[in-house]
Amino acid sequence: MRWVVGNWKMHTTPSEAKQLARQLWRLLKSACIGPEVGLRVVVCPPFTSLEAVRRVLARTRLEWGAQTCHEEVQGAYTGEISARMLSELGCTLVLVGHSERRRYAAETDERIAQKLFRVVEFGMHAVLCVGETWHERERGQTVTVLEQQLERGLAAVTQALWPQVLIAYEPVWAIGTGVTALPEQIAEAHTQIRQILHRLGAPESVPILYGGSVSAAAVSNIITQPEVHGVLVGGASLRSGEFNAIVRTVAAHRCS
Ligand code: PEP
């Protein structure tokens, strides 16, 4: 299975999201996508736009998901949203541990592990985002950082839950910067992640996505690297034409 996941971040009001979802489906309805052809395409709008997107995308081959959730099921957590709520809105996937959440919401690996568990407990896919900063890469700490984030973030995953887990390698220095990691850097990191996953007892089938300034121009060189099973797209997922081109490139590699 390959995946293209769009992270809309804090963009789109409900009416804007509705329009973007409509444009996307108009462009993508003729594309070779869907679980039965081995390519799942999921958009992750802000919480407040989920219902609008659900109404547009219900009964299409596009899926929707969320950008984070709280680790508890319910309770006195003002302002938070739980996995249980997202599941009832038809979300099929939730991002956990995005670097912007680690940075701006001070999410720790331990909380991320709890969030991941809740997402899969409620029957959705969890995308665990991992990646090093530029400073860590320069100091030769990339593998250590990946090891720590994966070991801690996946601590609650039992054998039966692996089919609902995805990993996204997102070097922090490539997110929102316009600087895509080089194909060889992606191949190296994904191979290292696969080795770490092996040590953690994960099956070979756990997908590893790449994220970080993915564009229509760059995606072909990314998707053809070893151990790359899809892409997590931020900025470019807000431009329907470019997202369409990204999906079609991934689909061509999958379906031709
Ligand atoms: C992201 O938000 O996960 C991301 C990779 O963003 P961008 O594509 O804009 O770098």
Side-chain angles (χ1 to χ4, degrees):
M1 184 69 66
R2 290 205 177 187
W3 297 77
V4 179
V5 179
N7 175 12
W8 292 2
K9 310 197 189 203
M10 198 173 71
H11 295 287
T12 71
T13 64
S15 60
E16 289 164 352
K18 183 168 143 187
Q19 208 182 346
L20 179 56
R22 277 192 180 145
Q23 281 167 0
L24 280 176
W25 180 237
R26 190 157 31 78
L27 292 169
L28 282 168
K29 67 176 162 221
S30 61
C32 186
I33 58 175
E36 61 296 337
V37 294
L39 174 57
R40 294 180 69 166
V41 181
V42 189
V43 294
C44 299
F47 291 135
T48 45
S49 293
L50 274 170
E51 176 61 12
V53 168
R54 185 183 72 81
R55 282 171 193 240
V56 176
L57 299 184
R59 289 175 295 281
T60 72
R61 283 171 283 113
L62 286 179
E63 305 171 49
W64 57 95
Q67 301 170 18
T68 184
C69 69
H70 195 264
E71 58 271 30
E72 296 298 338
V73 176
Q74 59 189 16
Y77 300 99
T78 304
E80 298 291 351
I81 301 287
S82 74
R84 179 166 170 260
M85 298 166 183
L86 297 173
S87 143
E88 194 172 313
L89 276 175
C91 290
T92 56
L93 170 155
V94 181
L95 307 179
V96 293
H98 191 283
S99 64
E100 288 156 13
R101 301 286 316 166
R102 292 178 190 262
R103 180 170 176 196
Y104 302 122
E107 286 190 4
T108 61
D109 287 318
E110 288 67 30
R111 280 189 73 198
I112 290 163
Q114 292 168 355
K115 287 169 193 274
L116 186 145
F117 180 77
R118 286 302 177 206
V119 172
V120 295
E121 186 186 22
F122 281 92
M124 299 174 284
H125 285 85
V127 182
L128 172 63
C129 303
V130 296
E132 80 289 358
T133 62
W134 182 250
H135 191 55
E136 288 162 342
R137 172 166 280 267
E138 277 202 318
R139 287 193 296 181
Q141 295 172 337
T142 300
V143 186
T144 314
V145 169
L146 295 177
E147 246 161 17
Q148 179 174 314
Q149 292 178 342
L150 288 165
E151 275 167 20
R152 295 182 182 175
L154 296 169
V157 180
T158 56
Q159 211 55 36
L161 301 179
W162 283 118
Q164 289 163 255
V165 175
L166 295 85
I167 308 299
Y169 170 59
E170 297 213 299
V172 179
W173 47 272
I175 297 179
T177 58
V179 180
T180 315
L182 297 171
E184 51 270 30
Q185 291 171 322
I186 297 173
E188 187 182 38
H190 280 233
T191 305
Q192 286 160 344
I193 289 171
R194 177 62 67 204
Q195 286 164 1
I196 299 165
L197 289 174
H198 272 154
R199 284 207 297 279
L200 297 176
E204 200 69 44
S205 52
V206 172
I208 310 172
L209 317 188
Y210 168 79
S213 297
V214 173
S215 63
V219 70
S220 190
N221 277 336
I222 296 170
I223 200 70
T224 46
Q225 295 308 309
E227 295 294 356
V228 176
H229 309 102
V231 283
L232 175 50
V233 188
S237 70
L238 293 162
R239 298 186 288 276
S240 56
E242 183 155 17
F243 194 66
N244 172 48
I246 290 170
V247 171
R248 283 175 185 275
T249 303
V250 178
H253 284 288
R254 179 71 201 152
C255 300
S256 60

